[in-house]
Amino acid sequence: AAGPAPARGLLLQAALDAVEGRLGDPDLAPAVVARHLCVSVRHLHGLFADHGTTFGRWVLRRRLEHSHRDLVDPAWAHCTVGEVATVWGFRDASHFARVFRDRYGVSPREHRRARGG
């Protein structure tokens, strides 16, 4: 018998999918995803809390992972660091550089140079 735990897991996966599909939107917010899933913002936050994270941390992590990957992808070599950041929903280049360095220990430019991107 399916109880609340499996349903919450399915709802979390739906939330993660919704986030993934909107990562490039700088206006992505919990209310947007909650509305998409027909749940309250509080319920959405609870789903992320069940898995030891927050909505904001998850979004930031995924944006950074995509940026990290694309900065060294030859298909993105024609784009500036700022353009890559913008594609993944970062509005402010200095904020992007700061959170990237905090996460990976190097600046986005250093990462690109070191990997030959």
Side-chain angles (χ1 to χ4, degrees):
R8 283 181 74 81
L10 291 173
L11 198 52
L12 175 64
Q13 188 57 57
L16 297 176
D17 293 344
V19 166
E20 199 67 27
R22 293 172 174 81
L23 278 176
D25 179 358
D27 294 320
L28 177 61
V32 171
V33 176
R35 193 169 34 256
H36 174 75
L37 298 175
C38 300
V39 300
S40 69
V41 172
R42 181 179 174 170
H43 189 73
L44 179 71
H45 283 304
L47 295 171
F48 282 88
D50 288 350
H51 293 277
T53 192
T54 66
F55 178 89
R57 282 190 203 123
W58 182 263
V59 170
L60 179 61
R61 177 179 155 207
R62 294 300 294 145
R63 285 177 171 167
L64 286 170
E65 288 170 352
H66 282 284
S67 299
H68 185 264
R69 178 200 64 206
D70 292 344
L71 284 168
V72 296
D73 184 337
W76 289 77
H78 66 284
C79 295
T80 67
V81 169
E83 289 169 338
V84 172
T86 299
V87 164
W88 291 113
F90 290 97
R91 282 190 169 130
D92 180 88
S94 62
H95 174 253
F96 171 66
R98 187 173 48 258
V99 296
F100 191 97
R101 182 181 292 279
D102 288 348
R103 173 72 190 260
Y104 298 109
V106 295
S107 73
R109 271 194 185 77
E110 292 166 337
H111 171 65
R112 180 173 255 183
R113 239 180 271 131
R115 303 279 191 253

